[in-house]
């Protein structure tokens, strides 16, 4: 079993625990993946059992690469990294909970900026005026 570790368009990293310390098997997988259309670069790490694929997103995608790795005996299953807080992960689509978290963070940042730039100066002005009136 392997672990789908990280993906951004154009780069996929998979950790194959069964390949750890098996440089020959990782080399065989790398050679086979060179034949997958769209794969531009392949790096392997026998120490961690990782395979890092650089690819052209206009030619191939994450799911195609994961299927190819699966066919080579390196099945990928995503496991949520050890982090605090709830996470919902779905390989087939976007994660609602992660999307909500990102939205909350962005809204919080925007509101904080608005308060700092508009409300805070007005409060400070009111405080100064109240001191003068005393």
């Amino acid at each position: 079993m392997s672990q789908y570790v990280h993906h951004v368009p154009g780069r996929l990293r998979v950790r194959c625990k069964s390949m750890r310390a098996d440089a020959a098997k990782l080399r065989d997988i790398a050679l086979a993946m060179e034949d997958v259309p769209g794969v531009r670069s392949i790096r392997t790490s026998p120490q961690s059992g990782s395979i890092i694929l650089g690819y052209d997103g206009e030619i191939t995608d994450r799911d195609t690469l994961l299927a190819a790795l699966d066919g080579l005996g390196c099945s990928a299953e995503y496991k949520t990294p050890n982090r605090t807080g709830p996470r919902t992960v779905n390989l087939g689509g976007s994660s609602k909970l992660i999307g909500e978290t990102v939205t909350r963070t962005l809204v919080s940042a925007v509101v904080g900026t608005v308060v700092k730039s508009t409300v805070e100066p007005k409060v400070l002005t009111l405080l100064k005026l109240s001191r003068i009136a005393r």
Side-chain angles (χ1 to χ4, degrees):
M1 170 156 331
S2 62
Q3 184 181 3
Y4 157 43
V5 177
H6 189 258
H7 175 256
V8 292
R11 183 180 180 278
L12 172 69
R13 181 166 55 113
V14 175
R15 184 176 300 131
C16 300
K17 292 179 182 179
S18 63
M19 308 290 170
R20 199 173 279 163
D22 193 345
K25 182 64 177 169
L26 283 172
R27 191 171 34 257
D28 291 344
I29 290 173
L31 288 172
M33 291 301 292
E34 287 178 354
D35 294 333
V36 175
V39 173
R40 291 191 171 182
S41 65
I42 303 168
R43 287 190 348 222
T44 61
S45 172
Q47 294 81 8
S48 65
S50 289
I51 299 170
I52 302 170
L53 301 170
Y55 67 92
D56 183 338
E58 293 185 16
I59 298 172
T60 192
D61 60 17
R62 177 194 66 195
D63 294 334
T64 302
L65 296 173
L66 290 173
L69 288 168
D70 185 47
L72 295 168
C74 187
S75 299
E77 172 185 299
Y78 186 80
K79 292 185 180 178
T80 305
N82 293 333
R83 296 181 182 145
T84 58
R87 297 257 193 303
T88 301
V89 178
N90 178 356
L91 283 180
S94 62
S95 166
K96 183 177 179 184
L97 185 57
I98 291 173
E100 289 171 358
T101 302
V102 169
T103 301
R104 277 194 305 269
T105 302
L106 288 173
V107 168
S108 177
V110 168
V111 169
T113 301
V114 168
V115 167
K116 190 160 190 76
S117 65
T118 59
V119 176
E120 191 175 287
K122 290 177 183 176
V123 169
L124 290 174
T125 301
L126 288 172
L127 288 172
K128 286 177 187 175
L129 290 174
S130 69
R131 286 185 195 140
I132 294 170
R134 287 187 200 172

